[in-house]
Amino acid sequence: METPTEHSASLWPLFVYGLIVLSLVGAMLGLSYILGQHHNERATHDPYEGGILSTGSARIRFSAQFYLVAMLFVIFDVETIFIFSWAIAFRELGWYGYTGVIVFLILLVVVLIYEWRAGALDFGPDGKKILKAYRKMSAGQ
């Protein structure tokens, strides 16, 4: 059994390492404060938005298509996890596991078809709408 002096003796490298890390962090922050630029202009304390002054509210509405794409990502990410875990335990699961993964894949195909029909995979403007607009523009000239 270790005595208290042996136990504390084994921790001193950790304390030295922590002291070195804190000293380096303090030195970097101190040097950046001393050597850095100090200015107090009109927009200094405003949030930075790529050089553009912010206007309006930060609360904006996202398109429903954004949420459909997010659902697709989550659905197929979880699918990958389940299929990998099934593949690892393939021999232990046998036919019961095989039928379970087939049912799972069928459900995912149904979800994919639903998402496709809902328009989640339409990432750009509809091709038919583009052709229709082009024909109108061509007919007007």
Side-chain angles (χ1 to χ4, degrees):
M1 188 167 150
E2 291 184 13
T3 61
T5 56
E6 290 176 3
H7 182 66
S8 60
S10 64
L11 290 179
W12 74 267
L14 181 65
F15 291 123
V16 170
Y17 177 74
L19 184 66
I20 291 171
V21 168
L22 290 176
S23 300
L24 282 174
V25 169
M28 285 189 281
L29 288 174
L31 283 174
S32 68
Y33 180 76
I34 293 169
L35 300 175
Q37 296 179 1
H38 298 284
H39 54 87
N40 195 12
E41 295 163 0
R42 194 180 87 165
T44 299
H45 300 291
D46 289 345
Y48 183 69
E49 293 291 334
I52 301 170
L53 293 176
S54 57
T55 58
S57 173
R59 308 230 183 262
I60 58 173
R61 297 182 134 212
F62 287 106
S63 168
Q65 192 171 11
F66 170 80
Y67 297 106
L68 291 174
V69 171
M71 280 183 5
L72 271 174
F73 173 76
V74 170
I75 288 168
F76 291 105
D77 195 38
V78 170
E79 170 196 8
T80 304
I81 293 168
F82 281 128
I83 290 177
F84 271 121
S85 60
W86 168 76
I88 290 170
F90 174 73
R91 293 190 184 191
E92 292 85 15
L93 294 175
W95 285 104
Y96 181 74
Y98 183 73
T99 55
V101 85
I102 292 298
V103 169
F104 179 69
L105 287 173
I106 289 171
L107 287 173
L108 282 171
V109 168
V110 169
V111 168
L112 178 63
I113 292 169
Y114 169 76
E115 294 271 339
W116 193 351
R117 288 192 177 175
L121 300 177
D122 297 333
F123 293 107
D126 188 11
K128 293 176 184 175
K129 290 180 184 176
I130 292 173
L131 287 174
K132 189 176 179 182
Y134 178 73
R135 287 182 186 135
K136 282 184 180 179
M137 187 175 71
S138 298
Q141 290 180 347

